[in-house]
Amino acid sequence: EHAKMVKFLKTGKAVILLQGRFAGRKAVIVRVFEEGTRDRPYGHCLVAGLAKYPKKVIRKDSAKKTAKKSRVKCFLKLVNFTHIMPTRYTLDVDFKDVASGGPDALATRDKKVASCKAAKARLEERFKTGKNRWFFTKLRF
Amino acid sequence: ESVWSRTSKGLPGDHSAQWQPRNFNRAAEPYILPPAPNPTAPPPPKKPPAAAASSSSLHARRGWSPDAMAPTKKSKKSTENINNKLQLVMKSGKYTLGYKTVLKTLRSSKGKLIILANNCPPLRKSEIEYYAMLSKISVHHFHGNNVDLGTACGKYYRVCCLSILDPGDSDIITTV
């Protein structure tokens, strides 16, 4: 039969978290663990999301203010597929240094902080280009 | 407490409001909803064979002709067909019943056809349709509520949504 099956939970997919502290926040899938791991025997993925969205920048903001408003706070989280809502959007940001660590990118606190900083830098530079505006606007609910 | 409990009410019929985020370029990626079933089109009335002459003029005035009948409401025969096909799938194929497993099959793209009861809550219906849109799996809206769908599956419980993984001997995937 015609191959109808399109897997959509892939790296780069923009998703919305549904549960937990970051419920309602938008995130990008960085790495997918389809079959799960020994610690998490269910399908889950590593997402990088926006804990704090960048604020709205207006034309009459000074350069200093624009820089301050464009800052994001990022989070990295291993999240079950059932706790995310996939969207039709994608965000193709290169998260190589974040994802290369793999599951142990979140193992120790230092590694997590370092990965978070790397992800934050990537997301901020993407925001400044003005692309993927849907991703950087807060979901109102 | 999940996001779904706090989010939009999922008013029936008003699907357009849900998927239009503000403040961004709509033209970039248009999302075209499947057309909502048309409840306003009048079903073609049954025509007794004796009164063919007089009723044909009536139908002509109404703008209805047997050739141009829009399939907005399935005849009894078609619903029976679907029930028969479902029965065959239950016997010979693979399927899962229930919302959680349906989402699971949608995520893993294992499902081939999703069937929703007509009294499925609108938010849940939209969610399943959205997942199906992403994974390019077709959705069929069953003409009956969850009680009827459960009966059609041969079960003694209500079934709001089901997913067919492997149709077995049935041709339900190709014909529906």
Side-chain angles (χ1 to χ4, degrees), chain B residues 46-115:
Chain B
K46 287 203 174 62
K47 201 163 49 165
S54 55
S55 50
S56 62
S57 59
L58 169 73
H59 292 317
R61 253 187 283 132
R62 272 184 168 196
W64 178 84
S65 73
D67 309 318
M69 185 165 79
T72 50
K73 188 165 179 180
K74 278 204 161 65
S75 61
K76 230 186 220 167
K77 195 157 169 247
S78 309
T79 29
E80 280 171 9
N81 274 346
I82 290 168
N83 286 0
N84 291 342
K85 289 189 211 281
L86 253 185
Q87 211 174 31
L88 193 49
V89 172
M90 295 294 136
K91 236 190 325 184
S92 63
K94 288 205 179 54
Y95 58 92
T96 59
L97 309 175
Y99 173 61
K100 278 168 74 172
T101 54
V102 162
L103 283 191
K104 219 172 175 182
T105 59
L106 281 167
R107 263 184 229 118
S108 58
S109 301
K110 291 233 166 57
K112 303 242 177 19
L113 175 67
I114 313 288
I115 300 180

